[in-house]
Amino acid sequence: MNNRFISVLSGLFFAALSFNISQAHAQSDNFSVQQLAQVEQIKLQALESDLAWRLVESLTTEVGPRMPGTPGDKAAVAWAVAKFKAMGFDKVWTEPATFPKWLRYSESAAIVSPAPQALHITALGNSISTPKAGIQAQVIEFQSLAELENAPDNAAKGKIVFINYRMNRNRDGNGYGPAVQARRDGAVVAAQKGAVGYVMRSVSTANHRFAHTGGSHYKAGVTKIVTTAISNADADQLHRLIALDKPVIINIKVQAKSMGEGTSYNVIAEFTGSEYPEQHVLIGGHLDSWDLGTGALDDGAGVAITMAAAKLAVSKGKPKRSIRVVLFAAEEFGLWGAKAYVKANKASLANIVAAAESDFGAGKIWAFDANVHDSVLPLVSDIAAMMKSLDVEYLAKNSARGGPDLIPFRPFNIPVFRLSQDGSDYFDYHHTADDTLDKIDPEKLRQNVAVYAVFAYMAANAKTRLIGK
Amino acid sequence: MNNRFISVLSGLFFAALSFNISQAHAQSDNFSVQQLAQVEQIKLQALESDLAWRLVESLTTEVGPRMPGTPGDKAAVAWAVAKFKAMGFDKVWTEPATFPKWLRYSESAAIVSPAPQALHITALGNSISTPKAGIQAQVIEFQSLAELENAPDNAAKGKIVFINYRMNRNRDGNGYGPAVQARRDGAVVAAQKGAVGYVMRSVSTANHRFAHTGGSHYKAGVTKIVTTAISNADADQLHRLIALDKPVIINIKVQAKSMGEGTSYNVIAEFTGSEYPEQHVLIGGHLDSWDLGTGALDDGAGVAITMAAAKLAVSKGKPKRSIRVVLFAAEEFGLWGAKAYVKANKASLANIVAAAESDFGAGKIWAFDANVHDSVLPLVSDIAAMMKSLDVEYLAKNSARGGPDLIPFRPFNIPVFRLSQDGSDYFDYHHTADDTLDKIDPEKLRQNVAVYAVFAYMAANAKTRLIGK
């Protein structure tokens, strides 16, 4: 009944949409009436197009998992090049990006006593291996990284530290920041307190028994210990057993390896502009994924949305400015593709008129905002006006930060846009085996494509050039 | 928003409940006014009691998985005996049950080509092992067991058969029957068609990437081949790859072993009746579980609901007839505990005045029905009347069949009752690693206890003795 309820709501939403579209012919200094009519046509086309679905279906099925440095990653690069070419982009090229390569071979864990049972665990990226027989020790629980940090030296001596912090669910994913510190730094702090192993409640909002992987790091001078995460259900279980006040002994087995420097490739494609070809709108996602799932939401969706949006944005003819899609490499290991892109393209970053990355799943886009020079805010308002009928709210804070791969761009003050997806359930799937194609709603995916296509078309074709702060 | 919506509804439901209870004082030939008042008090007590929650929390945490013949199974028997005693039952005893013991050691699978990636798989109960390196072969897909049965001899020669039948979701679980045949018999039919391995889409309604295990069997004279199930997401993936018309090669690795005869124990406890001690109401669930999860819904819930209900049913004083709780052994391997119970207690089965098993999770009980001699239907109506305020509908078909463990009782025409839980999401979790405590809603669990307590009290204390057809 529940699903039916959602489906009815969603039906009403899309019915309302089609109605509004036919009404909304705004006036603007930046666009001709004909251009605005084209925007409306592109919207409708996008809302009926299954192009993005076919792309993400193909990527997640025919390539599947694509962790940086694996054969899947290589296959993904070849896939992207071939797809861009088949889609008729004017230019398609790759640029190398290096990163610290790490491979996972196997992982398992169990409660040894007082109640023997399996734990659903995953090694965090960059973890060392345990001995073949595993690390076996008593567990000591902390409620947060801060509590561990404040514990006395040797508080965890000879033990496995368990951080039991649970992230909160929110549309904008604001629970991620506070939770992710324990993933990045937990093993370092635990080792400093004398621990022999580290396990955390996953950075997760899920009600299902999946462990969430993700990047972690060690610190020079601090002993490296195995660093892992367990599912919410397993964290609950560990917590309950510890609360019974008997020693809880667990065993963690991880086989993984750091392999030195790996190389992958940003895959870049462009529809070249007719008037200002060097100026370009930059949209994209990241092509790599973690190894556990097939990277549908993270970030097959972003790849597919932006590829499809670029294609739709030029469906009425060549844009005035170029529209560039960048599929970043090795994001999951630390934005290595984005860093390489910025380094390799430093000279031309000033030509970016608008940048937006889609890397937050495939939920409906509910908000839009920019981070641009005040003088071009009227153009941002024009774009926002055309998104209203897609049920996208203009936040008008002018402080958008873009997706993770745009972080390395920040020093260059390029005009950044945020097309905010509803991420309420994003952290149910993020970095798990459960991040698979069936988690994408085709209708919401089309709305994403429509929003990105409107954005790309308008930023590329406006009379005014967007500039940064 | 969705969850909040449900929570509001559920709040309203329970508010309405408390209101109705104070209004419902029916007249009856079978019960005194004082008895009916006690029923109302027991209802209210049950709706406020966390006894069942504490039981299922303890069983799933301190024992965890308890597959027949494993140390967990042994621990569960000890747990049940100790709990029954601590709860003050008048008699507590065990009765042995033997079964064909089977153990799972490891299982994994992968698509080898054309797109290498892991499959989430589980061996079905009773499966043979593969060689250590696995069985590797091309997959051939069938949409149902019937399609496989109708295929020509040798249709699957040298291949791994994949049955892609998807079960439907329904409140009463009616999708299970049609789907489960492929689990029980699939490997036999596949072997008859020349297959070297068998994999099926799990008997599952889940949108999450868990494989569902469950019983399967081989047939004398037919080659035994490995028999497995993959998650819905993996079945979708396999189907999509096969649809691309390239040969799809997979590798399945299973290490498992049949170990001859094992022994476990039905754990039985009774509150002894004051007037007709030999007559008894029989309620229960099964104590064993599959090994993948902690058996919270299947069937920790049934164990806890019936233990707690018996306790609450005697909270106003000794019942006229005995109330017996039977926690059956080795249900998952083929109702072995129930069969042993019927055999060992043949002489006293005629003393059962009412039997009901809870083995369908912990969803709200929405319907009630009996299977009794027509002459005692007025008493059934009396019981049904007292359940109305618990939002339980009386179906009045008089053809209830009871839970799985009551199947071996059928030849003896005992009075059987069905207290029907809403099982809409039961097959999301059934026989998976995801069957864990967090899947039980404490409020719904209490409603279950209230319904079972009302049933047990009324069947035990009625003037009329219930009799079978």
Side-chain angles (χ1 to χ4, degrees), chain B residues 316-335:
Chain B
K316 302 294 159 194
K318 257 189 175 319
K320 280 164 71 169
R321 300 179 187 84
S322 297
I323 297 176
R324 184 178 290 189
V325 180
V326 183
L327 305 183
F328 294 100
E331 190 270 350
E332 297 295 4
F333 281 10
L335 316 178

PDB file of all heavy atoms in Angstrom, chain B residues 316-335:
ATOM      1  N   LYS B 316      -3.988 -14.273  35.678  1.00  0.00           N
ATOM      2  CA  LYS B 316      -5.155 -14.072  36.567  1.00  0.00           C
ATOM      3  C   LYS B 316      -5.443 -15.325  37.389  1.00  0.00           C
ATOM      4  O   LYS B 316      -6.481 -15.423  38.034  1.00  0.00           O
ATOM      5  CB  LYS B 316      -6.389 -13.712  35.729  1.00  0.00           C
ATOM      6  CG  LYS B 316      -6.212 -12.478  34.878  1.00  0.00           C
ATOM      7  CD  LYS B 316      -6.062 -11.236  35.747  1.00  0.00           C
ATOM      8  CE  LYS B 316      -5.392 -10.122  34.958  1.00  0.00           C
ATOM      9  NZ  LYS B 316      -4.928  -9.042  35.855  1.00  0.00           N
ATOM     10  N   GLY B 317      -4.588 -16.310  37.296  1.00  0.00           N
ATOM     11  CA  GLY B 317      -4.806 -17.532  38.066  1.00  0.00           C
ATOM     12  C   GLY B 317      -4.669 -18.756  37.187  1.00  0.00           C
ATOM     13  O   GLY B 317      -4.587 -18.649  35.951  1.00  0.00           O
ATOM     14  N   LYS B 318      -4.622 -19.907  37.814  1.00  0.00           N
ATOM     15  CA  LYS B 318      -4.458 -21.180  37.109  1.00  0.00           C
ATOM     16  C   LYS B 318      -5.568 -21.343  36.076  1.00  0.00           C
ATOM     17  O   LYS B 318      -6.742 -21.102  36.370  1.00  0.00           O
ATOM     18  CB  LYS B 318      -4.585 -22.329  38.117  1.00  0.00           C
ATOM     19  CG  LYS B 318      -3.265 -22.977  38.527  1.00  0.00           C
ATOM     20  CD  LYS B 318      -3.532 -24.223  39.350  1.00  0.00           C
ATOM     21  CE  LYS B 318      -2.276 -25.014  39.713  1.00  0.00           C
ATOM     22  NZ  LYS B 318      -1.258 -25.171  38.691  1.00  0.00           N
ATOM     23  N   PRO B 319      -5.247 -21.807  34.883  1.00  0.00           N
ATOM     24  CA  PRO B 319      -6.303 -22.070  33.883  1.00  0.00           C
ATOM     25  C   PRO B 319      -7.035 -23.379  34.210  1.00  0.00           C
ATOM     26  O   PRO B 319      -6.506 -24.212  34.943  1.00  0.00           O
ATOM     27  CB  PRO B 319      -5.511 -22.206  32.588  1.00  0.00           C
ATOM     28  CG  PRO B 319      -4.173 -22.717  33.013  1.00  0.00           C
ATOM     29  CD  PRO B 319      -3.907 -22.124  34.385  1.00  0.00           C
ATOM     30  N   LYS B 320      -8.238 -23.528  33.670  1.00  0.00           N
ATOM     31  CA  LYS B 320      -8.979 -24.783  33.877  1.00  0.00           C
ATOM     32  C   LYS B 320      -8.281 -25.944  33.155  1.00  0.00           C
ATOM     33  O   LYS B 320      -8.145 -27.037  33.690  1.00  0.00           O
ATOM     34  CB  LYS B 320     -10.406 -24.644  33.312  1.00  0.00           C
ATOM     35  CG  LYS B 320     -11.352 -23.901  34.246  1.00  0.00           C
ATOM     36  CD  LYS B 320     -12.621 -23.441  33.545  1.00  0.00           C
ATOM     37  CE  LYS B 320     -13.530 -24.607  33.204  1.00  0.00           C
ATOM     38  NZ  LYS B 320     -14.866 -24.110  32.754  1.00  0.00           N
ATOM     39  N   ARG B 321      -7.876 -25.666  31.911  1.00  0.00           N
ATOM     40  CA  ARG B 321      -7.108 -26.671  31.150  1.00  0.00           C
ATOM     41  C   ARG B 321      -5.650 -26.203  31.079  1.00  0.00           C
ATOM     42  O   ARG B 321      -5.364 -25.018  31.241  1.00  0.00           O
ATOM     43  CB  ARG B 321      -7.679 -26.805  29.736  1.00  0.00           C
ATOM     44  CG  ARG B 321      -9.139 -27.231  29.710  1.00  0.00           C
ATOM     45  CD  ARG B 321      -9.709 -27.327  28.313  1.00  0.00           C
ATOM     46  NE  ARG B 321     -11.141 -27.579  28.410  1.00  0.00           N
ATOM     47  CZ  ARG B 321     -12.061 -26.624  28.574  1.00  0.00           C
ATOM     48  NH1 ARG B 321     -11.696 -25.344  28.597  1.00  0.00           N
ATOM     49  NH2 ARG B 321     -13.338 -26.941  28.704  1.00  0.00           N
ATOM     50  N   SER B 322      -4.762 -27.117  30.805  1.00  0.00           N
ATOM     51  CA  SER B 322      -3.335 -26.755  30.736  1.00  0.00           C
ATOM     52  C   SER B 322      -3.042 -25.899  29.494  1.00  0.00           C
ATOM     53  O   SER B 322      -3.737 -26.003  28.480  1.00  0.00           O
ATOM     54  CB  SER B 322      -2.475 -28.024  30.694  1.00  0.00           C
ATOM     55  OG  SER B 322      -2.648 -28.766  31.891  1.00  0.00           O
ATOM     56  N   ILE B 323      -2.048 -25.089  29.616  1.00  0.00           N
ATOM     57  CA  ILE B 323      -1.549 -24.334  28.455  1.00  0.00           C
ATOM     58  C   ILE B 323      -0.114 -24.792  28.219  1.00  0.00           C
ATOM     59  O   ILE B 323       0.753 -24.641  29.090  1.00  0.00           O
ATOM     60  CB  ILE B 323      -1.614 -22.814  28.685  1.00  0.00           C
ATOM     61  CG1 ILE B 323      -3.085 -22.390  28.860  1.00  0.00           C
ATOM     62  CG2 ILE B 323      -0.959 -22.066  27.529  1.00  0.00           C
ATOM     63  CD1 ILE B 323      -3.271 -20.919  29.180  1.00  0.00           C
ATOM     64  N   ARG B 324       0.095 -25.379  27.067  1.00  0.00           N
ATOM     65  CA  ARG B 324       1.398 -25.969  26.755  1.00  0.00           C
ATOM     66  C   ARG B 324       2.059 -25.179  25.626  1.00  0.00           C
ATOM     67  O   ARG B 324       1.425 -24.861  24.621  1.00  0.00           O
ATOM     68  CB  ARG B 324       1.198 -27.427  26.309  1.00  0.00           C
ATOM     69  CG  ARG B 324       2.492 -28.163  26.042  1.00  0.00           C
ATOM     70  CD  ARG B 324       2.242 -29.611  25.645  1.00  0.00           C
ATOM     71  NE  ARG B 324       1.740 -30.423  26.749  1.00  0.00           N
ATOM     72  CZ  ARG B 324       1.620 -31.753  26.695  1.00  0.00           C
ATOM     73  NH1 ARG B 324       1.948 -32.417  25.595  1.00  0.00           N
ATOM     74  NH2 ARG B 324       1.139 -32.422  27.739  1.00  0.00           N
ATOM     75  N   VAL B 325       3.339 -24.871  25.825  1.00  0.00           N
ATOM     76  CA  VAL B 325       4.113 -24.242  24.753  1.00  0.00           C
ATOM     77  C   VAL B 325       5.104 -25.276  24.234  1.00  0.00           C
ATOM     78  O   VAL B 325       5.861 -25.856  25.017  1.00  0.00           O
ATOM     79  CB  VAL B 325       4.872 -22.994  25.262  1.00  0.00           C
ATOM     80  CG1 VAL B 325       5.670 -22.351  24.131  1.00  0.00           C
ATOM     81  CG2 VAL B 325       3.897 -21.980  25.869  1.00  0.00           C
ATOM     82  N   VAL B 326       5.066 -25.508  22.935  1.00  0.00           N
ATOM     83  CA  VAL B 326       6.026 -26.436  22.329  1.00  0.00           C
ATOM     84  C   VAL B 326       6.934 -25.653  21.386  1.00  0.00           C
ATOM     85  O   VAL B 326       6.459 -25.000  20.455  1.00  0.00           O
ATOM     86  CB  VAL B 326       5.315 -27.557  21.537  1.00  0.00           C
ATOM     87  CG1 VAL B 326       6.349 -28.538  20.976  1.00  0.00           C
ATOM     88  CG2 VAL B 326       4.304 -28.284  22.421  1.00  0.00           C
ATOM     89  N   LEU B 327       8.234 -25.700  21.667  1.00  0.00           N
ATOM     90  CA  LEU B 327       9.220 -25.089  20.769  1.00  0.00           C
ATOM     91  C   LEU B 327       9.831 -26.226  19.970  1.00  0.00           C
ATOM     92  O   LEU B 327      10.639 -27.010  20.475  1.00  0.00           O
ATOM     93  CB  LEU B 327      10.267 -24.333  21.589  1.00  0.00           C
ATOM     94  CG  LEU B 327       9.688 -23.281  22.549  1.00  0.00           C
ATOM     95  CD1 LEU B 327      10.803 -22.538  23.270  1.00  0.00           C
ATOM     96  CD2 LEU B 327       8.756 -22.300  21.824  1.00  0.00           C
ATOM     97  N   PHE B 328       9.391 -26.322  18.728  1.00  0.00           N
ATOM     98  CA  PHE B 328       9.758 -27.470  17.895  1.00  0.00           C
ATOM     99  C   PHE B 328      11.211 -27.396  17.433  1.00  0.00           C
ATOM    100  O   PHE B 328      11.743 -26.313  17.159  1.00  0.00           O
ATOM    101  CB  PHE B 328       8.833 -27.533  16.683  1.00  0.00           C
ATOM    102  CG  PHE B 328       7.392 -27.820  17.032  1.00  0.00           C
ATOM    103  CD1 PHE B 328       6.457 -26.785  17.086  1.00  0.00           C
ATOM    104  CD2 PHE B 328       6.976 -29.107  17.315  1.00  0.00           C
ATOM    105  CE1 PHE B 328       5.130 -27.037  17.409  1.00  0.00           C
ATOM    106  CE2 PHE B 328       5.642 -29.371  17.637  1.00  0.00           C
ATOM    107  CZ  PHE B 328       4.720 -28.330  17.694  1.00  0.00           C
ATOM    108  N   ALA B 329      11.809 -28.558  17.312  1.00  0.00           N
ATOM    109  CA  ALA B 329      13.196 -28.673  16.837  1.00  0.00           C
ATOM    110  C   ALA B 329      13.216 -28.870  15.326  1.00  0.00           C
ATOM    111  O   ALA B 329      12.250 -29.379  14.737  1.00  0.00           O
ATOM    112  CB  ALA B 329      13.869 -29.870  17.516  1.00  0.00           C
ATOM    113  N   ALA B 330      14.302 -28.459  14.711  1.00  0.00           N
ATOM    114  CA  ALA B 330      14.653 -28.843  13.332  1.00  0.00           C
ATOM    115  C   ALA B 330      13.512 -28.672  12.333  1.00  0.00           C
ATOM    116  O   ALA B 330      13.358 -29.472  11.408  1.00  0.00           O
ATOM    117  CB  ALA B 330      15.162 -30.289  13.311  1.00  0.00           C
ATOM    118  N   GLU B 331      12.742 -27.600  12.518  1.00  0.00           N
ATOM    119  CA  GLU B 331      11.670 -27.327  11.559  1.00  0.00           C
ATOM    120  C   GLU B 331      12.240 -27.064  10.167  1.00  0.00           C
ATOM    121  O   GLU B 331      11.724 -27.554   9.165  1.00  0.00           O
ATOM    122  CB  GLU B 331      10.848 -26.107  12.024  1.00  0.00           C
ATOM    123  CG  GLU B 331       9.563 -25.854  11.238  1.00  0.00           C
ATOM    124  CD  GLU B 331       9.731 -24.937  10.038  1.00  0.00           C
ATOM    125  OE1 GLU B 331      10.802 -24.311   9.881  1.00  0.00           O
ATOM    126  OE2 GLU B 331       8.800 -24.852   9.224  1.00  0.00           O
ATOM    127  N   GLU B 332      13.322 -26.289  10.134  1.00  0.00           N
ATOM    128  CA  GLU B 332      13.846 -25.845   8.834  1.00  0.00           C
ATOM    129  C   GLU B 332      14.345 -27.000   7.976  1.00  0.00           C
ATOM    130  O   GLU B 332      14.390 -26.901   6.758  1.00  0.00           O
ATOM    131  CB  GLU B 332      14.973 -24.818   9.038  1.00  0.00           C
ATOM    132  CG  GLU B 332      14.543 -23.516   9.724  1.00  0.00           C
ATOM    133  CD  GLU B 332      13.546 -22.686   8.904  1.00  0.00           C
ATOM    134  OE1 GLU B 332      13.108 -23.135   7.837  1.00  0.00           O
ATOM    135  OE2 GLU B 332      13.199 -21.576   9.359  1.00  0.00           O
ATOM    136  N   PHE B 333      14.731 -28.090   8.611  1.00  0.00           N
ATOM    137  CA  PHE B 333      15.243 -29.225   7.844  1.00  0.00           C
ATOM    138  C   PHE B 333      14.123 -30.189   7.434  1.00  0.00           C
ATOM    139  O   PHE B 333      14.381 -31.209   6.817  1.00  0.00           O
ATOM    140  CB  PHE B 333      16.292 -29.983   8.678  1.00  0.00           C
ATOM    141  CG  PHE B 333      17.652 -29.324   8.706  1.00  0.00           C
ATOM    142  CD1 PHE B 333      17.859 -28.048   8.206  1.00  0.00           C
ATOM    143  CD2 PHE B 333      18.753 -30.008   9.241  1.00  0.00           C
ATOM    144  CE1 PHE B 333      19.113 -27.452   8.230  1.00  0.00           C
ATOM    145  CE2 PHE B 333      20.012 -29.429   9.275  1.00  0.00           C
ATOM    146  CZ  PHE B 333      20.198 -28.145   8.772  1.00  0.00           C
ATOM    147  N   GLY B 334      12.876 -29.875   7.831  1.00  0.00           N
ATOM    148  CA  GLY B 334      11.771 -30.733   7.387  1.00  0.00           C
ATOM    149  C   GLY B 334      10.820 -31.151   8.494  1.00  0.00           C
ATOM    150  O   GLY B 334      10.362 -32.292   8.499  1.00  0.00           O
ATOM    151  N   LEU B 335      10.518 -30.246   9.407  1.00  0.00           N
ATOM    152  CA  LEU B 335       9.511 -30.495  10.460  1.00  0.00           C
ATOM    153  C   LEU B 335       9.866 -31.694  11.335  1.00  0.00           C
ATOM    154  O   LEU B 335       8.981 -32.402  11.837  1.00  0.00           O
ATOM    155  CB  LEU B 335       8.117 -30.731   9.836  1.00  0.00           C
ATOM    156  CG  LEU B 335       7.666 -29.793   8.713  1.00  0.00           C
ATOM    157  CD1 LEU B 335       6.291 -30.231   8.199  1.00  0.00           C
ATOM    158  CD2 LEU B 335       7.637 -28.350   9.169  1.00  0.00           C
TER     159      LEU B 335
END
